[in-house]
Amino acid sequence: MQLQQNWKLVQQRIIDSCHRVDRNPNDVQVVAVTKYVDVDTTQAVLDSGLNQIGESKVQDAVPKWKQIGDRGVWHFIGHLQRNKVKEIIGRFQYLHSLDRWSLAQELDKRLKQRGESMKCFLQVNVAQEKQKNGIYSHELKDFALDVANLSSIEIVGLMTMAPLTPNSEEVRPVFRELKRLQHELQQLQHPQIKVPHLSMGMSQDFEVAIEEGATWVRLGSVLVGKRS
């Protein structure tokens, strides 16, 4: 019951955010971040009508997927080690954290072995926080052009994580910069770098992210509660 109430409130907040900037709420999709909850809660998330599931640790995600992986669309949203790539292929349709060339090469190799492809977001460390992963803004163009040559990877957009702050307005420039970078890549008019999506905004700042152009928001605590 609480989950349903949370989801209704989130939907209204998305609608309100979109109306403030004259966007269509249907253009914003929600990844329900279930990384801190158990299989039963993850199933309840799917039952509530949310079908995009976000996980960030392979060792936690794979056991869940083995039980309920035939339901929903699975997004890997955390830092991915090269030696874990084989675990997510065939299970996850999206990777939100493609942040280095060695990972891209490993993904492409493993995907080709299976005759599959994967939708990937290029992770950009816009705020240049040393403790966070992601390439820096000035590296993005060259990285995107390199990844575009890998036939098994479909670049669907850009992702960033804004600094944690009590005032979400403080991170608006981070989201605005990712939108600018998206436009910069689109100006290349490269057939493999259309980057239609922006994965940005979490429970504490998703409304500002939507106002700045997010098409995917990754929501955990505001939907499913705090870490158990």
Side-chain angles (χ1 to χ4, degrees), residues 82 85-87 89-90 104-118 151-153:
R82 282 178 59 200
V85 164
K86 61 183 182 294
E87 300 290 340
I89 290 176
Q105 288 178 303
E106 183 68 17
L107 267 173
D108 187 59
K109 182 183 81 173
R110 295 280 183 178
L111 286 163
K112 281 177 176 170
Q113 288 172 354
R114 293 176 58 99
E116 297 179 5
S117 63
M118 181 175 281
S151 59
S152 298
I153 293 176

Side-chain angles (χ1 to χ4, degrees), residues 62-144:
V62 170
K64 282 187 199 175
W65 184 91
K66 286 179 177 177
Q67 292 190 59
I68 54 173
D70 57 331
R71 300 184 63 192
V73 177
W74 290 64
H75 299 246
F76 196 84
I77 61 174
H79 180 67
L80 181 62
Q81 296 173 311
R82 282 178 59 200
N83 63 352
K84 301 289 187 182
V85 164
K86 61 183 182 294
E87 300 290 340
I88 74 161
I89 290 176
R91 295 181 171 125
F92 287 79
Q93 290 91 333
Y94 286 85
L95 173 67
H96 287 242
S97 52
L98 183 52
D99 63 352
R100 58 203 187 280
W101 179 239
S102 60
L103 177 60
Q105 288 178 303
E106 183 68 17
L107 267 173
D108 187 59
K109 182 183 81 173
R110 295 280 183 178
L111 286 163
K112 281 177 176 170
Q113 288 172 354
R114 293 176 58 99
E116 297 179 5
S117 63
M118 181 175 281
K119 294 176 170 63
C120 294
F121 291 83
L122 308 183
Q123 182 174 354
V124 187
N125 187 347
V126 174
Q128 297 191 13
E129 294 183 277
K130 288 190 170 17
Q131 73 274 26
K132 285 185 179 168
N133 299 300
I135 59 170
Y136 287 170
S137 299
H138 68 273
E139 302 170 318
L140 177 60
K141 179 181 173 183
D142 287 342
F143 183 56

Side-chain angles (χ1 to χ4, degrees), residues 171-188:
V171 297
R172 188 179 292 275
V174 172
F175 299 137
R176 190 166 290 171
E177 172 66 4
L178 198 70
K179 180 69 177 178
R180 187 194 69 78
L181 291 168
Q182 177 194 38
H183 181 69
E184 192 175 84
L185 288 183
Q186 289 170 339
Q187 292 295 102
L188 298 174

Side-chain angles (χ1 to χ4, degrees), residues 10-90:
V10 165
Q11 286 175 300
Q12 189 57 54
R13 289 170 68 180
I14 290 172
I15 289 168
D16 292 344
S17 300
C18 287
H19 284 175
R20 284 195 290 272
V21 291
D22 196 26
R23 289 188 65 193
N24 185 343
N26 292 329
D27 292 339
V28 179
Q29 300 199 63
V30 173
V31 177
V33 179
T34 55
K35 61 182 181 178
Y36 293 135
V37 300
D38 58 19
V39 173
D40 290 341
T41 305
T42 304
Q43 286 180 316
V45 168
L46 291 161
D47 292 339
S48 74
L50 286 150
N51 72 330
Q52 311 288 329
I53 297 296
E55 291 282 337
S56 65
K57 292 185 177 178
V58 171
Q59 66 269 29
D60 297 331
V62 170
K64 282 187 199 175
W65 184 91
K66 286 179 177 177
Q67 292 190 59
I68 54 173
D70 57 331
R71 300 184 63 192
V73 177
W74 290 64
H75 299 246
F76 196 84
I77 61 174
H79 180 67
L80 181 62
Q81 296 173 311
R82 282 178 59 200
N83 63 352
K84 301 289 187 182
V85 164
K86 61 183 182 294
E87 300 290 340
I88 74 161
I89 290 176

